[in-house]
Amino acid sequence: MISQQAEASPWGRPDDGVYTRAALHTGEVEGLSASRVDLYGEYGVSERWTATAKYERVTFDGFSEFAASGWRTTLRRTFPLSGNMVASLEGGALEGEAIGGASGCQSFGGEARGGIGQSFTFGSSSNRGDKRRRYGFWFAEVATRAHSDGCQRYRLETGIGREVSTDIWLIAQAWFDQGSENARSQKYQAEYLWRRGALDLSVGSLVELGGEFEETAVFFSIARRF
């Protein structure tokens, strides 16, 4: 069987394919109640090229002066490999403090990344003794960001997901940042995803541990493929 494509980097969209996702986070950053809106989209420019766009905004209850926003846009080139594996190279522009997590770089800059991932199938026995096929994936990416004010970041991203029941997925991801401007941080996220045709509904939690801050949040997201 051909494994399902994961809805994440380093995979891309098919020609003229569209993927959109909106997520709302609510949680706490250093004792302050915070909300984050995360909007993301992909468009398949061709069979091997995918354009992406992302916007984030974080606000704090009672402290409007701490509000921040950011955007990022990139172009991704995918390279099919053997064994349902795929590699990618990606680059683009970004700006704004919110795009880096709880604390990021504010000025305009560029991003470059490379990744590899694999989708797979596995079987499990039901109580009736028949074999059912489930899907799974894993991926890893490295990224670097350089901003016009000298702020730099280096990131390792990794994740794994598997279908635990029909159309129900458990997905875990981790991000590790190093660099300037309070960049050292570790972020861990776990979510359950319910796939309903072209619609994905997710609920999960995340924890980010930084050198000068900690962020904990729960989130809900809705994604749609076209």
Side-chain angles (χ1 to χ4, degrees), residues 42-225:
E42 293 185 349
Y43 173 71
V45 180
S46 68
E47 194 64 30
R48 294 288 176 257
W49 290 94
T50 298
T52 82
K54 182 180 178 71
Y55 174 80
E56 287 190 59
R57 179 168 177 80
V58 59
T59 57
F60 298 86
D61 292 348
F63 295 88
S64 58
E65 65 272 20
F66 294 153
S69 60
W71 59 265
R72 182 186 72 202
T73 180
T74 68
L75 192 61
R76 181 187 308 146
R77 174 68 161 91
T78 58
F79 303 88
L81 305 175
S82 61
N84 287 330
M85 297 186 69
V86 62
S88 71
L89 293 175
E90 187 172 352
L94 72 163
E95 184 177 35
E97 188 174 21
I99 203 70
S103 179
C105 303
Q106 299 182 24
S107 62
F108 180 81
E111 177 180 277
R113 64 174 58 218
I116 188 169
Q118 183 180 30
S119 55
F120 56 87
T121 61
F122 58 95
S124 61
S125 298
S126 72
N127 293 331
R128 297 179 180 179
D130 60 330
K131 288 288 187 176
R132 296 183 180 180
R133 280 293 185 180
R134 305 293 188 198
Y135 299 99
F137 70 90
W138 64 265
F139 73 91
E141 288 193 305
V142 291
T144 180
R145 294 172 175 174
H147 294 255
S148 59
D149 61 0
C151 179
Q152 293 184 327
R153 292 198 163 209
Y154 309 96
R155 170 175 285 193
L156 169 64
E157 304 179 13
T158 184
I160 185 170
R162 60 176 294 171
E163 191 181 20
V164 295
S165 184
T166 303
D167 298 325
I168 303 294
W169 290 68
L170 175 60
I171 301 172
Q173 298 183 71
W175 296 261
F176 304 96
D177 277 62
Q178 294 284 349
S180 57
E181 302 297 329
N182 193 30
R184 185 175 182 178
S185 72
Q186 305 171 30
K187 184 163 67 174
Y188 306 95
Q189 176 176 297
E191 66 179 296
Y192 279 99
L193 181 148
W194 182 30
R195 175 154 290 175
R196 295 289 294 171
L199 196 67
D200 291 345
L201 302 176
S202 298
V203 61
S205 63
L206 67 86
V207 176
E208 184 169 5
L209 307 175
E212 298 180 10
F213 66 88
E214 292 187 7
E215 177 181 6
T216 60
V218 294
F219 68 91
F220 172 79
S221 75
I222 181 170
R224 179 73 160 83
R225 293 175 302 283

